[in-house]
Amino acid sequence: MAAHKIDTVIHNAGIYGPRGVLAGELAEEAWLEVLHVDTVAPLMVVQGLLPQLRQNAAAGHPTAIHFLTSRMGSIADNGSGGNYLYRSAKAGLNAAVRSLALDLAADGIRVQLLHPGWVQTSMGGEQAPLTVQESVAGLLERCAELEMADSGRFVDWSGAEIPW
Ligand SMILES: NC(=O)c1ccc[n+]([C@@H]2O[C@H](COP(=O)([O-])OP(=O)(O)OC[C@H]3O[C@@H](n4cnc5c(N)ncnc54)[C@H](OP(=O)(O)O)[C@@H]3O)[C@@H](O)[C@H]2O)c1
């Protein structure tokens, strides 16, 4: 049976890890779990889907991979410190996905890093300014407008570019 082609992957799953962990309190096991889920797993999932994605792109169909990351993974934007586990995991994801975007350009596969905004989810909490509907509407627009020339960009739900 022929493998199914895949045209779009949106990798959304992520964890924050324990909150409020300060320098002097960092625990290796908890940190490695956040790195595993937020940095390593997204690339492993996509790696498993690459044959189908490449097959789709080779047939001339638009093909894209979108990763949900966070502004907290921006080193340039870090003006408040703390949040070691989550910040480092999303910064690692950003670095790896930037490489992926460059490496998959030859296959014609588009890659994007998306910050959803601060959203009212289990992770974002009730005090977040954005509803899930507002964030997802913007994110879907960003997915739809992604062109090859924009591959590897780090943008938020509204389309604003985020510094690395
Ligand atoms: N909410 C925000 O303000 C905000 C801001 C910036 C970035 N983000 C990013 O946006 C994405 C979605 O976050 P969210 O706010 O929706 O978080 P959430 O409410 O905590 O939901 C996280 C989702 O990830 C899944 N997940 C977590 N660990 C997993 C694992 N090991 N295997 C499979 N699925 C797993 C969860 O599945 P289960 O329900 O089955 O556990 C859940 O569906 C994440 O990548 C997050 O880092 C969110």
Side-chain angles (χ1 to χ4, degrees), residues 85-108:
L85 287 58
Y86 189 66
R87 281 193 194 282
S88 62
K90 291 296 193 181
L93 176 66
N94 292 352
V97 170
R98 179 74 186 181
S99 276
L100 188 73
L102 292 167
D103 291 349
L104 295 186
D107 295 299

Side-chain angles (χ1 to χ4, degrees), residues 12-15 68-70 86 90 115-119 121-124:
N12 174 67
I15 56 172
L68 271 290
T69 182
S70 173
Y86 189 66
K90 291 296 193 181
H115 167 61
W118 183 15
V119 191
T121 63
S122 303
M123 185 185 290

Side-chain angles (χ1 to χ4, degrees), residues 11-16 19 33 36-38 41-42 67-72 86 90 93 114-125 128-130 132 135 139:
H11 193 285
N12 174 67
I15 56 172
Y16 199 91
R19 303 209 177 223
E33 188 190 353
H36 190 192
V37 175
D38 289 357
F67 292 89
L68 271 290
T69 182
S70 173
R71 176 181 284 278
M72 292 191 73
Y86 189 66
K90 291 296 193 181
L93 176 66
L114 291 167
H115 167 61
W118 183 15
V119 191
Q120 294 160 11
T121 63
S122 303
M123 185 185 290
L130 282 175
V132 168
S135 173
L139 291 169

Side-chain angles (χ1 to χ4, degrees), residues 46-114:
V46 164
Q47 182 167 268
L49 299 172
L50 263 185
Q52 291 97 317
L53 289 161
R54 283 189 162 129
Q55 193 185 1
N56 193 66
H61 305 304
T63 308
I65 312 167
H66 312 271
F67 292 89
L68 271 290
T69 182
S70 173
R71 176 181 284 278
M72 292 191 73
S74 165
I75 295 170
D77 191 61
N78 183 356
S80 57
N83 304 289
Y84 293 83
L85 287 58
Y86 189 66
R87 281 193 194 282
S88 62
K90 291 296 193 181
L93 176 66
N94 292 352
V97 170
R98 179 74 186 181
S99 276
L100 188 73
L102 292 167
D103 291 349
L104 295 186
D107 295 299
I109 299 175
R110 306 160 198 197
V111 179
Q112 188 178 43
L113 284 158
L114 291 167

